[in-house]
Amino acid sequence: MTESATATIDDLRGRIDEVDAELARLLERRALLAARVQRLKPVGGFAGRDPKREQALVAAMAAHAPRLGAARLARIMSEVIEAGLDAAEAEAAHGRSAQQH
């Protein structure tokens, strides 16, 4: 590999690192908002997922990310949603545990 190719790869990887950091901040923000939604749901606690809302979300996102497309985004967002719910449940359980002490 030439020196200029290495410099270009390093530059691009640096830019990817910046995007990854931004993505992590956005995922954290999303998880916090989703946890608030879960607390407000009328059935109490963690009411689970809304498949219609998820489909609409993926369709809207696909318009902004055509390279990924709806099928790939559906897989990604399913994991993002599941991770957010898991984090909110763990946080709620920790809060209940702390209140009991």
Side-chain angles (χ1 to χ4, degrees):
M1 200 170 350
T2 68
E3 188 174 325
S4 83
T6 302
T8 301
I9 289 172
D10 289 344
D11 177 56
L12 291 171
R13 286 180 174 162
R15 291 168 59 188
I16 288 170
D17 291 345
E18 291 171 10
V19 170
D20 288 346
E22 183 179 350
L23 184 56
R25 287 188 295 274
L26 290 171
L27 289 169
E28 176 70 7
R29 200 166 120 206
R30 188 190 195 289
L32 290 169
L33 290 168
R36 290 177 64 188
V37 167
Q38 288 301 311
R39 287 192 300 268
L40 294 173
K41 284 191 175 177
V43 291
F46 296 87
R49 297 170 66 163
D50 180 347
K52 286 183 182 179
R53 174 153 168 73
E54 289 181 32
Q55 288 173 349
L57 166 74
V58 166
M61 289 179 78
H64 297 286
R67 180 176 297 274
L68 292 174
R72 288 183 189 99
L73 285 167
R75 292 194 316 261
I76 293 166
M77 290 312 296
S78 180
E79 290 297 323
V80 166
I81 291 165
E82 194 64 36
L85 288 172
D86 183 56
E89 288 175 2
E91 185 177 273
H94 178 72
R96 285 190 299 269
S97 165
Q99 289 175 350
Q100 293 171 354
H101 293 286

